[in-house]
Amino acid sequence: MSVVYWTGSVNGSFSTAGNWSSTPSNGDVGIINTGAATIAGGDFTSFCNWSSLIVGPGFTGTLGSSSARVHAPTNNLQITTASDVYFQIKASSISSTVQRLLLNDWGNVVDIDDDRTATTREIHIGRSLTGQGVATIHTGSASTATMSVSDMQGETINLTGTVASLRIDSGIVKGGDVTTQAILSGGEWHCGDCADLRLYGGTAYAGAAEASTITDAHVYGGTLSLEKAIGYAVTLPNGTTGFLNL
């Protein structure tokens, strides 16, 4: 395994070998931490199976676009840049017991389609640089994924798909289904389906973003609200079909 660095010295193509410090090989770590030009989107699945890709603060261009994400296979994707990022994470052929998506000190717009399904995944989202960033995370039917959202200010996370577990202590998360357990200690969750909701603080808005069925609900603090349930069906436990602890 080697570490290769994006230089962008030839053009804006992710799959041009000359744009990297050396020709990337399967299992390498790729670091994009320089350049102000756009790296064009496209399907680069056959270019390299990465161990990790890191988009750092020194990169000030745009990675992909709203109409064409960068498609690349990697076990780990870390984003710590103020730039807009549009990326589809494909499954890497490099063996790994855990695959990760990490966002911290990110920009105003991040759009990630996590297309991986085979391995346990961890998604960790921290604050954006402005405190007002919007991230869209597509997890698909990722029942093995765990997701945490922490240290937010005014950020919004648009979540589509399914995760096994979800922890929120700040910020606003809109959408998403949880198959095992969601723990909310602050912020907001505009929740979809949830097998087990543990509410210690913040507000869970059932039916605010999509239809919502909550099988078990344990409300120790905060608020479980139907205030924003307009146009979506909501099913709450009634003691017979599920457990409701208030």
Side-chain angles (χ1 to χ4, degrees), residues 74-150:
T74 182
N75 286 325
N76 303 295
L77 176 63
Q78 180 176 337
I79 298 172
T80 57
T81 176
S83 299
D84 294 348
V85 174
Y86 304 86
F87 201 99
Q88 184 179 76
I89 313 174
K90 309 294 287 188
S92 176
S93 63
I94 306 305
S95 177
S96 177
T97 56
V98 180
Q99 297 172 332
R100 294 180 176 89
L101 168 61
L102 308 172
L103 274 65
N104 196 49
D105 291 336
W106 44 283
N108 286 322
V109 178
V110 172
D111 188 328
I112 304 294
D113 183 3
D114 193 343
D115 195 43
R116 301 169 297 181
T117 58
T119 306
T120 298
R121 285 183 281 160
E122 297 177 359
I123 302 169
H124 302 285
I125 304 179
R127 71 171 61 190
S128 67
L129 287 167
T130 65
Q132 301 295 322
V134 177
T136 300
I137 309 295
H138 311 268
T139 64
S141 56
S143 58
T144 59
T146 63
M147 181 172 177
S148 65
V149 178
S150 62

Side-chain angles (χ1 to χ4, degrees), residues 161-163 166 175-180 182 189-197 206-207 210-215 233-235:
T162 303
V163 295
L166 175 65
D177 298 329
V178 177
T179 60
T180 303
W189 182 29
H190 299 197
C191 51
D193 296 340
C194 183
D196 184 3
L197 173 64
E210 57 186 278
S212 178
T213 296
I214 299 175
T215 304
V234 175
T235 302

Side-chain angles (χ1 to χ4, degrees), residues 11 49 51 53 70 119 125 129 135 140 176 185 203-204 206 220-221 227 239:
N11 52 38
N49 280 265
S51 173
L53 280 171
V70 170
T119 306
I125 304 179
L129 287 167
S185 58
T203 304
Y220 305 108
E227 176 185 354

